[in-house]
Each structure stands twice: as structure tokens, then as C-alpha cells.
């Protein structure tokens, strides 16, 4: 157990639907990052939150949004889903002072859009 | 654009040999490079971080080098074992408040 919890582990939904992925960071970590991993694209950075505030955006579609709550858990909302959104979605957390320890990743949510 | 590239998609080696994986970067000079291991269907796991002023860093059977002249990091696994079979990812960035940018990874298979 890495300390980063992602739910659900698997999600199957239809095109056009909306889903919410949830992430609880490791205790004490203020930063949460969301990544999308598909077979041909590798790990793609989506968005970063630090202590409730959005800090950076990557290749995140307008149909996707995220937020980080006061208890530091984060949610990634995916709407108007398309077949191409099928992928593994990972959340990672880090603490500013743990410079030698990298990111801690969750086990991911596998999203299948049918 | 600033790229981080792992040129080999896959590498097969014999058990007991040293595996060497390559990570190249272009159009910038990262201050930090990191290496992660990812098993199928699992999240990446942090292995090592190396700073630009460190030529080499070691952890058990793992060794990472950082050559700013060649714009390259090498990741070595000595005395490789079948359990080392996984995808290894290189990433640039400082693990504080900045997002990491990952290479596509090299899939290592250690054959008994």
C-alpha cells in the first residue's frame, strides 16, 4: 500500500456519460497530480493541485475538470465521455520537503468507455 | 520543445547480466532526473533521483548516472533477476511542487 488511495479501481461506462474519480493523497502530502496513461501515449500530466489551489495544467481536455477539497482529497471529473478517454488514470502525491523520494502514485482507476 | 526520450521500447537480457537503460533529453537542461518502476496495471514506484551536479547515485543493485554533456541518464541494474522485469520510466522535474514529465518507458524482460 503506497498510502495514496484511488477509487474506484475499475469503471465501465457508456459514451456521453460523466464519471468522477477520487484520490486521497498520502498523509501529510499537500500536492496532488493527475495523470492519464494510455497504451500509445505513456503517462500524460493532466493537472496539479497544491493545498486546494490549482497550480498547473497539462494536456487536460475542457471536458475534464478537477478540484482538491479542504481535507486534501481530490476528484477528477470526466464528462461527455468518448471511446478515446478509455485509459488508466493515476493520482500521485508529493510533499515539498521530500525531495529525495519522488512522487507516490496510487494504484489507478481503469476507465473503459463503451 | 523540451523532450525526454527513452529510445528503447523493450530490452531483453539474461539473468545475472547488467541491464542498462537510456534516457535522453533535448532542448533544455533538467536539474533533476528520476527513475520509476511500473508493473502492468499498477502505479509507478519511485526508485532514484539524481541531481545535475551528481555524476552517479546508487541504491542496492541500482545505479543511475547523469551526463550533462551527453544530455543523458543511464540506469543500470546489476545481477539482474526475473523479478526485475517491468517497465522503467525516466522523468524530469523536482518532486516538490512541479509536475513531472515522463518518458514513455522501457520494458525490461529478464530471462532465466
Amino acid at each position: 500500500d503506497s498510502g495514496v488511495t484511488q477509487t474506484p479501481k475499475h469503471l465501465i461506462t457508456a459514451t456521453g456519460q460523466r464519471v468522477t474519480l477520487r484520490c486521497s493523497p498520502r498523509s501529510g502530502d499537500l500536492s496532488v497530480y493527475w495523470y492519464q496513461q494510455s497504451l500509445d501515449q505513456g503517462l500524460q500530466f493532466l493537472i496539479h493541485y497544491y493545498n486546494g489551489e490549482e497550480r498547473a495544467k497539462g494536456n487536460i481536455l475542457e471536458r475534464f475538470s478537477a478540484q482538491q477539497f479542504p481535507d486534501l482529497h481530490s476528484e477528477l471529473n470526466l464528462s461527455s465521455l468518448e471511446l478515446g478517454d478509455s485509459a488508466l488514470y493515476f493520482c500521485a502525491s508529493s510533499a515539498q520537503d521530500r525531495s529525495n523520494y519522488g512522487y507516490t502514485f496510487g494504484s489507478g482507476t481503469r476507465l473503459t468507455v463503451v | 520543445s523540451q523532450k525526454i526520450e527513452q529510445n528503447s521500447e523493450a530490452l531483453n537480457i539474461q539473468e545475472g547480466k547488467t541491464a542498462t537503460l537510456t534516457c535522453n533529453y533535448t532542448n533544455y537542461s533538467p536539474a533533476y532526473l528520476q527513475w520509476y518502476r511500473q508493473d502492468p496495471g499498477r502505479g509507478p514506484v519511485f526508485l532514484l533521483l539524481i541531481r545535475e551536479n551528481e555524476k552517479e547515485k546508487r541504491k542496492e543493485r541500482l545505479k543511475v548516472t547523469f551526463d550533462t554533456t551527453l544530455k543523458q541518464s543511464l540506469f543500470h541494474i546489476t545481477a539482474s533477476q526475473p523479478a526485475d522485469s517491468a517497465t522503467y520510466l525516466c522523468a524530469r522535474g523536482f518532486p516538490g511542487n512541479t509536475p513531472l514529465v515522463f518518458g514513455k518507458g522501457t520494458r525490461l524482460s529478464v530471462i532465466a
Side-chain angles (χ1 to χ4, degrees):
Chain A
D1 181 8
S2 68
V4 176
T5 304
Q6 287 189 250
T7 56
K9 291 193 182 306
H10 301 277
L11 203 47
I12 301 175
T13 190
T15 54
Q17 294 298 305
R18 182 180 189 274
V19 297
T20 298
L21 312 184
R22 182 188 168 103
C23 169
S24 294
R26 193 181 52 170
S27 178
D29 287 355
L30 300 180
S31 274
V32 169
Y33 308 83
W34 285 96
Y35 283 83
Q36 179 191 57
Q37 188 174 42
S38 55
L39 280 174
D40 57 342
Q41 290 297 321
L43 269 169
Q44 297 292 310
F45 167 67
L46 295 177
I47 198 163
H48 168 212
Y49 276 85
Y50 176 78
N51 201 22
E53 291 187 5
E54 181 186 303
R55 280 294 178 92
K57 271 187 173 179
N59 300 320
I60 188 166
L61 300 171
E62 285 191 10
R63 301 183 285 109
F64 296 1
S65 65
Q67 57 185 132
Q68 186 179 28
F69 294 87
D71 67 352
L72 300 178
H73 91 270
S74 178
E75 293 181 357
L76 179 67
N77 300 297
L78 314 177
S79 61
S80 302
L81 285 167
E82 302 175 359
L83 295 177
D85 297 327
S86 296
L88 268 169
Y89 291 83
F90 287 105
C91 162
S93 71
S94 73
Q96 191 166 2
D97 61 347
R98 291 178 64 84
S99 59
N100 288 322
Y101 296 94
Y103 282 8
T104 303
F105 279 84
S107 55
T109 293
R110 182 175 293 280
L111 173 66
T112 303
V113 182
V114 297
Chain B
S1 63
Q2 299 177 350
K3 288 185 178 180
I4 187 157
E5 293 176 329
Q6 295 179 256
N7 295 331
S8 298
E9 281 193 19
L11 178 66
N12 297 327
I13 64 163
Q14 207 70 30
E15 182 178 8
K17 300 292 186 185
T18 296
T20 299
L21 285 64
T22 304
C23 176
N24 296 294
Y25 54 91
T26 56
N27 299 328
Y28 69 103
S29 296
Y32 304 85
L33 286 172
Q34 303 181 42
W35 285 87
Y36 288 74
R37 168 182 173 143
Q38 186 175 25
D39 291 287
R42 309 290 297 272
V45 175
F46 172 74
L47 296 175
L48 284 166
L49 176 149
I50 187 165
R51 293 170 171 78
E52 63 178 342
N53 62 352
E54 297 174 323
K55 296 298 182 190
E56 179 180 298
K57 188 168 266 190
R58 292 175 184 260
K59 177 183 172 183
E60 298 171 356
R61 294 184 296 110
L62 309 180
K63 184 178 82 171
V64 173
T65 62
F66 197 163
D67 189 326
T68 54
T69 302
L70 294 178
K71 293 185 178 291
Q72 183 178 82
S73 174
L74 298 180
F75 176 82
H76 306 272
I77 305 176
T78 58
S80 59
Q81 306 164 1
D84 295 325
S85 299
T87 295
Y88 292 87
L89 303 166
C90 172
R92 63 170 176 88
F94 179 70
N97 280 346
T98 55
L100 291 179
V101 176
F102 286 85
K104 289 192 175 183
T106 297
R107 188 174 63 254
L108 174 68
S109 297
V110 181
I111 303 161

